[in-house]
Each structure stands twice: as C-alpha cells, then as structure tokens.
Amino acid sequence: MKIRATENARIGDYDYVFDCPGCGYSHGIFIKKEGYSGPTWEFNGDMDKPTINPSINHTMMSGKVLMHRCHSFVKNGKIQYLSDCTHKLVGQTVELPEI
Ligand SMILES: [Zn+2]
C-alpha cells in the first residue's frame, strides 16, 4: 500500500498520509467530513494506486523566505513533481514508495 489512513483521526488531523520520496517528509490530505471546513482533496480510495486531486503543495517558510517547496500531483500510484519544487526530483514522475 502506498497511502494509509490515519488512526483515530480527529478534526484537524490528516485523514490519509503518504511518504514523499522527493522531500523525505510525509504528506497528508483531508477529505470532506462533517465538522471540518478547511481545504479538502478528492481521493479515489485505492490504497495501492492512489489518485488525489487537486495538487499537494507543501511549503516551509523562514519568516517571508521560502525555504522549501514540494508541489505534486498523485495519479495512479505515481507522484508527479511540478517545476516549482525545490528538491532533487523536480519535474520528475516516480512511483510512490510502499508505506
Ligand atoms: Zn514532498
């Protein structure tokens, strides 16, 4: 499996997480649920070949300076890194690792 459901997810916790080979962090998504009004993603529910929409844009700032950006689409178990990523897999599409 390439994505997993978080256990005992409370409001404000990610619903699903996956490991990112580009930046080395785990990324999480929220899905629509009662009581949560923040941004949500659509997930096809396939733990082995996940597809997530829209893109996932993870940034780290130091004050107003962008230290790190990981911006990707997850499609059919692969992760496609967009051209604005700041890590080594920028512009590449790779398999998501098993989790
Ligand atoms: Zn990443």
Side-chain angles (χ1 to χ4, degrees):
M1 116 182 128
K2 295 180 171 176
I3 189 169
R4 66 176 176 82
T6 57
E7 290 172 21
N8 304 316
R10 293 165 299 179
I11 296 300
D13 290 344
Y14 290 126
D15 294 300
Y16 293 93
V17 294
F18 63 89
D19 288 340
C20 176
C23 68
Y25 293 99
S26 292
H27 295 312
I29 58 165
F30 297 101
I31 57 171
K32 280 196 173 73
K33 61 189 168 190
E34 198 159 320
Y36 176 71
S37 58
T40 59
W41 283 261
E42 287 179 15
F43 168 45
N44 68 346
D46 188 329
M47 309 308 267
D48 295 311
K49 294 195 171 185
T51 295
I52 296 166
N53 277 303
S55 65
I56 295 152
N57 187 15
H58 176 244
T59 58
M60 281 199 307
M61 305 293 290
S62 176
K64 290 182 176 173
V65 179
L66 177 70
M67 303 301 288
H68 169 86
R69 182 191 300 275
C70 183
H71 192 190
S72 64
F73 282 104
V74 171
K75 285 182 188 165
N76 204 25
K78 295 185 170 68
I79 185 164
Q80 173 191 355
Y81 293 107
L82 302 180
S83 60
D84 56 352
C85 290
T86 57
H87 57 66
K88 61 186 187 297
L89 294 182
V90 56
Q92 296 186 41
T93 300
V94 301
E95 286 285 336
L96 272 180
E98 294 291 320
I99 193 168

